[in-house]
Amino acid sequence: EMEESVASRTQAVVSLIRDCQSLIYELKIVPSGYIDADEHDMVSCCDSGNYGPGGDEEVGRSEDDLKIMKSLKVRDSISQEEGQNRRSRGRSISDYTIVSLFESSSCTGISNEALERLTNRLAELNGEKRRRRARLGEMGTAIAALWTMLRVPPEEQRAFTENVRGLGMDTIRLGERELIRLHELKSEMIGKLIREQREQIAVLWEKTNATESEKASFRTYYEVNADEELTDDLLKKHEDYVEALNAKLEKIQPILDLIAKREAIIADRFELENLQKDPDRLKQRGASLTKQLMKEEKMSRRVKKELPKITHILERTLTEWYED
């Protein structure tokens, strides 16, 4: 019974240690000076790319990490040939055992305290992994937006993304440096960027049929041209205003489509009325006359059937719009 208890606890500890080791490699926080003869197996398991001691400044380290990295060994029952085969395809948990049942400077042991510390450490490492992923996601979104805004050439973008690998702090620092570079470039191009936003605003004013009073509400910012006043804050106000106009356009687009469709039918009605005032059109013969009469019939049908229907839908939609 004692042996079963020890074996069960050992298996639990080995599993926790392996999970911790995988995350330590993935986060590139391998303790300084640690060398593992079997590290190739871990790298392929974690797919973490180049890794190694990241320096004392690395985030997420723990005093127990060196013990965690040294606590396991390959079972003695595995032959050298079998070990090479398993190493090439990736070792499993069952290939490992604990170096010692007792805690030492290079082993966690299997005590209750060791089990608790390993459980806590695994939670810490998973938390660090989530934080880094979130940070990289935020930076990736910001970098992509700046690349688009600043029209960064695709080859520059590829050169950057090819160097982004894994969840190490080196990857995060790479992203931070790129953000700093892009913000500096943005500062140099601020005037040009503001002018481009104003071009978009002018187009959106026309598309949304903006009134003079609506335009006047933004004139204070729209007419700023002094170099010292062309700032990030001013650009942000333009970007926010463009976003608001686009949102408005999206909301009223169905109404604009209905108006355009109704105006097209009204244009057909005027054309039909002008055609019907011209008696010479009936002097045509054969296929030409047939084609002319079919055209008039089609236009007449559209005016009589679709114009009232479109007008009704438009009136109802406008009522709902004003009520909102």
Side-chain angles (χ1 to χ4, degrees):
E1 187 176 335
M2 177 66 75
E3 289 181 359
E4 289 181 5
S5 176
V6 170
S8 176
R9 182 182 292 273
T10 300
Q11 185 178 7
V13 168
V14 168
S15 179
L16 284 168
I17 290 174
R18 280 292 285 175
D19 288 343
C20 286
Q21 287 178 346
S22 294
L23 287 166
I24 286 170
Y25 275 110
E26 189 173 3
L27 297 172
K28 299 184 181 180
I29 51 174
V30 179
S32 181
Y34 172 72
I35 298 176
D36 184 359
D38 199 31
E39 64 181 6
H40 174 74
D41 176 45
M42 286 293 298
V43 176
S44 61
C45 168
C46 304
D47 193 25
S48 58
N50 295 328
Y51 61 88
D56 294 334
E57 62 183 17
E58 286 290 358
V59 176
R61 291 188 182 279
S62 165
E63 293 180 358
D64 279 337
D65 286 353
L66 188 58
K67 288 183 183 181
I68 289 172
M69 300 308 295
K70 292 184 173 183
S71 287
L72 299 184
K73 65 178 181 179
V74 178
R75 291 182 179 276
D76 294 336
S77 58
I78 298 176
S79 67
Q80 184 176 359
E81 181 179 353
E82 186 181 0
Q84 289 175 346
N85 291 336
R86 294 191 182 190
R87 188 157 47 241
S88 64
R89 67 175 185 268
R91 294 194 184 282
S92 65
I93 296 294
S94 60
D95 292 340
Y96 291 93
T97 188
I98 195 82
V99 169
S100 172
L101 301 180
F102 305 100
E103 184 175 1
S104 68
S105 61
S106 59
C107 183
T108 63
I110 64 168
S111 66
N112 287 334
E113 182 185 354
L115 198 61
E116 183 178 355
R117 291 211 313 272
L118 286 167
T119 301
N120 291 338
R121 183 58 181 146
L122 183 59
E124 290 172 358
L125 290 167
N126 276 315
E128 181 66 20
K129 180 178 179 177
R130 286 192 297 272
R131 284 189 291 275
R132 293 192 187 187
R133 274 186 170 169
R135 175 64 178 140
L136 287 170
E138 291 168 1
M139 286 195 295
T141 300
I143 287 169
L146 286 167
W147 278 346
T148 300
M149 176 190 292
L150 302 173
R151 297 184 179 84
V152 174
E155 55 270 20
E156 284 188 29
Q157 297 181 31
R158 282 194 298 271
F160 173 81
T161 53
E162 286 171 1
N163 289 319
V164 176
R165 294 190 183 90
L167 296 174
M169 287 302 295
D170 56 338
T171 301
I172 291 176
R173 293 189 189 103
L174 187 67
E176 290 170 344
R177 287 194 296 270
E178 178 67 359
L179 274 176
I180 291 171
R181 183 185 79 85
L182 292 171
H183 279 297
E184 289 174 349
L185 183 59
K186 178 182 171 183
S187 296
E188 295 171 7
M189 297 176 61
I190 197 77
K192 179 174 180 289
L193 294 172
I194 289 174
R195 285 191 295 274
E196 288 176 352
Q197 291 294 314
R198 287 174 178 170
E199 290 171 4
Q200 288 190 55
I201 288 169
V203 171
L204 288 166
W205 274 343
E206 184 176 351
K207 286 185 176 180
T208 57
N209 296 313
T211 64
E212 286 305 315
S213 62
E214 287 174 327
K215 295 177 183 179
S217 67
F218 194 73
R219 291 285 184 193
T220 305
Y221 307 112
Y222 191 82
E223 295 177 352
V224 172
N225 288 302
D227 288 345
E228 65 274 10
E229 296 181 30
L230 300 178
T231 62
D232 271 355
D233 183 58
L234 184 65
L235 176 59
K236 182 68 167 61
K237 282 183 168 56
H238 281 69
E239 290 171 342
D240 291 345
Y241 189 58
V242 166
E243 186 176 344
L245 287 175
N246 274 317
K248 180 182 178 181
L249 178 61
E250 183 178 352
K251 193 171 183 180
I252 67 172
Q253 191 63 57
I255 295 175
L256 297 177
D257 291 342
L258 285 170
I259 292 172
K261 191 170 183 179
R262 185 174 184 274
E263 288 178 347
I265 296 174
I266 290 173
D268 279 355
R269 184 176 68 183
F270 285 134
E271 184 182 352
L272 179 62
E273 290 172 353
N274 289 330
L275 284 172
Q276 291 174 339
K277 290 177 183 176
D278 180 15
D280 291 341
R281 78 190 193 284
L282 300 176
K283 293 179 180 179
Q284 301 178 77
R285 291 292 181 266
S288 295
L289 178 59
T290 303
K291 185 176 179 182
Q292 177 64 33
L293 292 174
M294 287 179 64
K295 177 183 177 182
E296 291 181 21
E297 177 61 25
K298 183 178 179 182
M299 292 171 71
S300 177
R301 194 165 51 243
R302 189 178 184 210
V303 168
K304 289 177 180 178
K305 290 186 64 177
E306 293 190 35
L307 184 57
K309 180 181 176 182
I310 293 295
T311 301
H312 175 70
I313 294 172
L314 180 59
E315 288 173 348
R316 186 185 64 199
T317 306
L318 284 171
T319 300
E320 293 172 353
W321 164 262
Y322 286 120
E323 286 176 354
D324 289 344

Short mmCIF file of all heavy atoms in Angstrom, two decimals, residues 38 40-45 80-92 95-96:
data_model
loop_
_atom_site.label_atom_id
_atom_site.label_comp_id
_atom_site.label_asym_id
_atom_site.label_seq_id
_atom_site.Cartn_x
_atom_site.Cartn_y
_atom_site.Cartn_z
N ASP A 38 19.14 16.19 -22.71
CA ASP A 38 17.97 15.75 -23.47
C ASP A 38 17.11 16.93 -23.91
O ASP A 38 15.95 16.79 -24.22
CB ASP A 38 17.12 14.82 -22.60
CG ASP A 38 16.17 13.97 -23.43
OD1 ASP A 38 16.54 13.64 -24.57
OD2 ASP A 38 15.08 13.65 -22.94
N HIS A 40 16.93 18.72 -26.57
CA HIS A 40 16.36 18.72 -27.93
C HIS A 40 14.94 18.17 -27.92
O HIS A 40 14.06 18.65 -28.60
CB HIS A 40 17.24 17.90 -28.86
CG HIS A 40 16.64 17.75 -30.24
ND1 HIS A 40 16.61 18.77 -31.15
CD2 HIS A 40 16.00 16.69 -30.81
CE1 HIS A 40 16.02 18.36 -32.25
NE2 HIS A 40 15.63 17.10 -32.06
N ASP A 41 14.73 17.15 -27.08
CA ASP A 41 13.41 16.55 -26.96
C ASP A 41 12.40 17.56 -26.44
O ASP A 41 11.29 17.67 -26.92
CB ASP A 41 13.50 15.36 -26.02
CG ASP A 41 12.13 14.73 -25.76
OD1 ASP A 41 11.39 14.55 -26.74
OD2 ASP A 41 11.84 14.43 -24.60
N MET A 42 12.81 18.36 -25.48
CA MET A 42 11.91 19.36 -24.92
C MET A 42 11.58 20.43 -25.94
O MET A 42 10.46 20.89 -26.04
CB MET A 42 12.53 20.01 -23.68
CG MET A 42 12.52 19.11 -22.46
SD MET A 42 10.83 18.80 -21.89
CE MET A 42 10.34 20.47 -21.49
N VAL A 43 12.59 20.86 -26.70
CA VAL A 43 12.36 21.93 -27.67
C VAL A 43 11.34 21.47 -28.71
O VAL A 43 10.41 22.20 -29.04
CB VAL A 43 13.67 22.33 -28.37
CG1 VAL A 43 13.39 23.38 -29.44
CG2 VAL A 43 14.64 22.88 -27.34
N SER A 44 11.50 20.26 -29.23
CA SER A 44 10.55 19.80 -30.22
C SER A 44 9.17 19.65 -29.61
O SER A 44 8.17 19.87 -30.26
CB SER A 44 11.01 18.45 -30.81
OG SER A 44 11.08 17.47 -29.79
N CYS A 45 9.13 19.31 -28.35
CA CYS A 45 7.85 19.16 -27.67
C CYS A 45 7.15 20.50 -27.53
O CYS A 45 5.95 20.63 -27.74
CB CYS A 45 8.07 18.54 -26.28
SG CYS A 45 6.63 18.59 -25.20
N GLN A 80 19.29 2.17 -24.44
CA GLN A 80 19.84 3.30 -25.18
C GLN A 80 19.19 3.45 -26.55
O GLN A 80 18.83 4.55 -26.98
CB GLN A 80 21.36 3.12 -25.34
CG GLN A 80 22.03 4.31 -26.02
CD GLN A 80 23.54 4.14 -26.06
OE1 GLN A 80 24.08 3.15 -25.58
NE2 GLN A 80 24.22 5.11 -26.64
N GLU A 81 19.00 2.30 -27.25
CA GLU A 81 18.40 2.34 -28.59
C GLU A 81 16.95 2.81 -28.50
O GLU A 81 16.49 3.65 -29.28
CB GLU A 81 18.45 0.95 -29.22
CG GLU A 81 17.86 0.93 -30.64
CD GLU A 81 17.94 -0.46 -31.26
OE1 GLU A 81 18.57 -1.36 -30.65
OE2 GLU A 81 17.35 -0.63 -32.34
N GLU A 82 16.21 2.27 -27.50
CA GLU A 82 14.81 2.67 -27.33
C GLU A 82 14.72 4.14 -26.96
O GLU A 82 13.82 4.86 -27.41
CB GLU A 82 14.17 1.81 -26.24
CG GLU A 82 12.67 2.05 -26.09
CD GLU A 82 12.06 1.20 -25.00
OE1 GLU A 82 12.80 0.41 -24.35
OE2 GLU A 82 10.85 1.32 -24.78
N GLY A 83 15.68 4.60 -26.14
CA GLY A 83 15.69 6.01 -25.73
C GLY A 83 15.89 6.93 -26.91
O GLY A 83 15.25 7.97 -27.02
N GLN A 84 16.78 6.54 -27.85
CA GLN A 84 17.01 7.35 -29.04
C GLN A 84 15.76 7.42 -29.92
O GLN A 84 15.41 8.46 -30.46
CB GLN A 84 18.19 6.78 -29.84
CG GLN A 84 19.54 6.99 -29.15
CD GLN A 84 20.66 6.31 -29.91
OE1 GLN A 84 20.43 5.49 -30.79
NE2 GLN A 84 21.90 6.66 -29.57
N ASN A 85 15.08 6.26 -30.04
CA ASN A 85 13.85 6.23 -30.84
C ASN A 85 12.78 7.13 -30.24
O ASN A 85 12.10 7.88 -30.92
CB ASN A 85 13.32 4.79 -30.94
CG ASN A 85 14.21 3.91 -31.79
OD1 ASN A 85 14.95 4.41 -32.65
ND2 ASN A 85 14.17 2.60 -31.56
N ARG A 86 12.63 7.05 -28.90
CA ARG A 86 11.61 7.86 -28.24
C ARG A 86 11.96 9.34 -28.29
O ARG A 86 11.08 10.19 -28.41
CB ARG A 86 11.44 7.41 -26.79
CG ARG A 86 10.87 6.00 -26.65
CD ARG A 86 10.48 5.70 -25.24
NE ARG A 86 9.98 4.34 -25.11
CZ ARG A 86 9.39 3.85 -24.02
NH1 ARG A 86 9.22 4.64 -22.96
NH2 ARG A 86 8.98 2.61 -23.98
N ARG A 87 13.27 9.62 -28.19
CA ARG A 87 13.69 11.02 -28.23
C ARG A 87 13.39 11.63 -29.59
O ARG A 87 12.99 12.79 -29.69
CB ARG A 87 15.19 11.10 -27.93
CG ARG A 87 15.70 12.52 -27.74
CD ARG A 87 16.98 12.58 -26.94
NE ARG A 87 17.96 11.61 -27.39
CZ ARG A 87 18.45 10.62 -26.64
NH1 ARG A 87 18.05 10.44 -25.40
NH2 ARG A 87 19.34 9.77 -27.12
N SER A 88 13.55 10.82 -30.65
CA SER A 88 13.32 11.33 -32.00
C SER A 88 11.83 11.62 -32.24
O SER A 88 11.49 12.52 -32.99
CB SER A 88 13.83 10.34 -33.04
OG SER A 88 13.09 9.13 -32.98
N ARG A 89 10.95 10.86 -31.59
CA ARG A 89 9.52 11.08 -31.82
C ARG A 89 8.85 11.83 -30.66
O ARG A 89 7.66 12.12 -30.72
CB ARG A 89 8.81 9.74 -32.03
CG ARG A 89 8.77 8.83 -30.82
CD ARG A 89 7.94 7.58 -31.09
NE ARG A 89 7.78 6.74 -29.93
CZ ARG A 89 8.57 5.74 -29.61
NH1 ARG A 89 9.60 5.45 -30.40
NH2 ARG A 89 8.36 5.01 -28.53
N GLY A 90 9.63 12.13 -29.60
CA GLY A 90 9.08 12.86 -28.47
C GLY A 90 8.77 11.94 -27.30
O GLY A 90 8.02 10.97 -27.45
N ARG A 91 9.36 12.23 -26.17
CA ARG A 91 9.16 11.37 -25.00
C ARG A 91 7.77 11.57 -24.41
O ARG A 91 7.17 12.62 -24.55
CB ARG A 91 10.22 11.66 -23.93
CG ARG A 91 11.64 11.29 -24.34
CD ARG A 91 12.54 11.30 -23.11
NE ARG A 91 13.93 11.03 -23.44
CZ ARG A 91 14.42 9.83 -23.70
NH1 ARG A 91 13.63 8.78 -23.69
NH2 ARG A 91 15.70 9.68 -23.99
N SER A 92 7.31 10.55 -23.69
CA SER A 92 6.05 10.64 -22.96
C SER A 92 6.35 10.74 -21.46
O SER A 92 7.49 10.53 -21.02
CB SER A 92 5.18 9.41 -23.23
OG SER A 92 5.82 8.25 -22.72
N ASP A 95 8.15 7.93 -19.63
CA ASP A 95 9.59 7.71 -19.83
C ASP A 95 10.41 8.28 -18.67
O ASP A 95 11.60 7.99 -18.56
CB ASP A 95 10.05 8.37 -21.12
CG ASP A 95 9.48 7.68 -22.35
OD1 ASP A 95 9.06 6.52 -22.22
OD2 ASP A 95 9.45 8.30 -23.43
N TYR A 96 9.79 9.11 -17.83
CA TYR A 96 10.54 9.84 -16.80
C TYR A 96 10.18 9.37 -15.40
O TYR A 96 9.10 8.86 -15.15
CB TYR A 96 10.25 11.34 -16.90
CG TYR A 96 10.81 11.98 -18.13
CD1 TYR A 96 10.02 12.11 -19.28
CD2 TYR A 96 12.12 12.46 -18.17
CE1 TYR A 96 10.53 12.69 -20.43
CE2 TYR A 96 12.63 13.04 -19.31
CZ TYR A 96 11.83 13.16 -20.44
OH TYR A 96 12.34 13.73 -21.56
#
